Amino acid sequence: MAYGIGEVAARTGLSVHALRFYEREGLFVGPIVRDPGGRRVYSDGDIGWVELCARLRETGMPLEVIRKYADLVRDGVGNEPERLALLREHQERIESQMQALSVGLSMISYKVRVYEKRLAEGTAAALWSSSTSSSGD
Amino acid sequence: MAYGIGEVAARTGLSVHALRFYEREGLFVGPIVRDPGGRRVYSDGDIGWVELCARLRETGMPLEVIRKYADLVRDGVGNEPERLALLREHQERIESQMQALSVGLSMISYKVRVYEKRLAEGTAAALWSSSTSSSGD
DNA sequence: ATAGGACTTAGAGCGGGCTCTAGCTCAAGC
DNA sequence: GCTTGAGCTAGAGCCCGCTCTAAGTCCTAT
């Protein structure tokens, strides 16, 4: 199947601007085919690649690293160990990001519970009002 | 206890530049105390707040939102429902970030397994060489 | 008393990742 | 034939979050 840039944008969630930008930046493995009028025509394979890029970006891989990966794939068979290393590094980065998120999440969840409790008691607390300070939110 | 800016930077992982920047940006609840020479003196409470800010940033909260939260805390008692709402929204954002990370992670883990397998077979595959193409890495 | 090091300010600069603009071409529909 | 809409290029612009600079102050140790 063949798709126009707008269609690809709609499917992948990237903007058409971003798609052209990614191409300029060398994130694609091969050149994107053009129709006789010079417009980009994307294949299913291209869409798959764009989706991979989107996932890599979402997980915080810098464009420069994605480009490096694309370069390796483009160079073809023989550099699999390098590609593997690159992916494994990213795997680890994602894991530590998840770790950081979960630390942050539990801190926030704790605060949420505190506020919930405070508010639940709040109506009652209006009696002896103020002085429930300290804590340091 | 009282701490200088360098000490706070060392403890929280933020740079001294970032600490001053956060202050200018209004992320602190109260003014930071100064010594007679005009230098910042941080209390344990300030450090706690900086650490909260650091966690919020790490989990992707924009400075503007942290400022809004600081504003609410500064305004004192009465706006707890707003603070709670703000925290809950962020909780949800973190949860969807974790979701995105885990989607990305499983995509990458899958690829890692593919490459590992390919490499394990690789030595053998050198026999009938090439043609193991397709896939679209 | 002098050198070093930590601190101060206001403001400029930077890197990443888009995002938008201007001016153009093309294809389809009325 | 003309409008509308999608696409094209090269390059400028923008937002965020720092990060660094310049020029100066102050404390401490030798």
Side-chain angles (χ1 to χ4, degrees), chain A residues 34-131:
Chain A
R34 302 302 183 106
D35 72 10
R39 296 162 181 213
R40 292 168 179 83
V41 179
Y42 296 81
S43 69
D44 288 302
D46 293 330
I47 291 197
W49 179 261
V50 171
E51 260 154 9
L52 172 60
C53 292
R55 293 311 130 248
L56 293 175
R57 282 292 305 126
E58 269 180 17
T59 53
M61 184 180 280
L63 294 185
E64 199 182 328
V65 178
I66 300 182
R67 175 169 38 235
K68 198 182 294 177
Y69 184 67
D71 290 347
L72 290 171
V73 174
R74 192 177 313 113
D75 286 0
V77 175
N79 55 27
E80 281 81 356
E82 286 176 71
R83 295 187 218 170
L84 181 53
L86 188 154
L87 293 178
R88 277 189 179 143
E89 263 175 59
H90 190 55
Q91 239 180 345
E92 280 171 27
R93 275 193 299 269
I94 295 176
E95 275 154 12
S96 57
Q97 279 182 77
M98 290 178 88
Q99 181 56 27
L101 285 184
S102 102
V103 167
L105 183 56
S106 46
M107 188 164 197
I108 288 154
S109 297
Y110 171 74
K111 283 193 166 289
V112 164
R113 281 192 303 277
V114 169
Y115 276 114
E116 281 167 345
K117 201 176 155 199
R118 202 190 281 191
L119 286 171
E121 293 165 351
T123 333
L127 293 172
W128 40 281
S129 175
S130 102
S131 85

Side-chain angles (χ1 to χ4, degrees), chain A residues 112 116, chain B residues 83-93:
Chain A
V112 164
E116 281 167 345
Chain B
R83 296 186 219 170
L84 181 53
L86 189 154
L87 293 177
R88 277 190 179 141
E89 263 175 57
H90 190 55
Q91 239 181 344
E92 279 171 27
R93 275 193 299 270

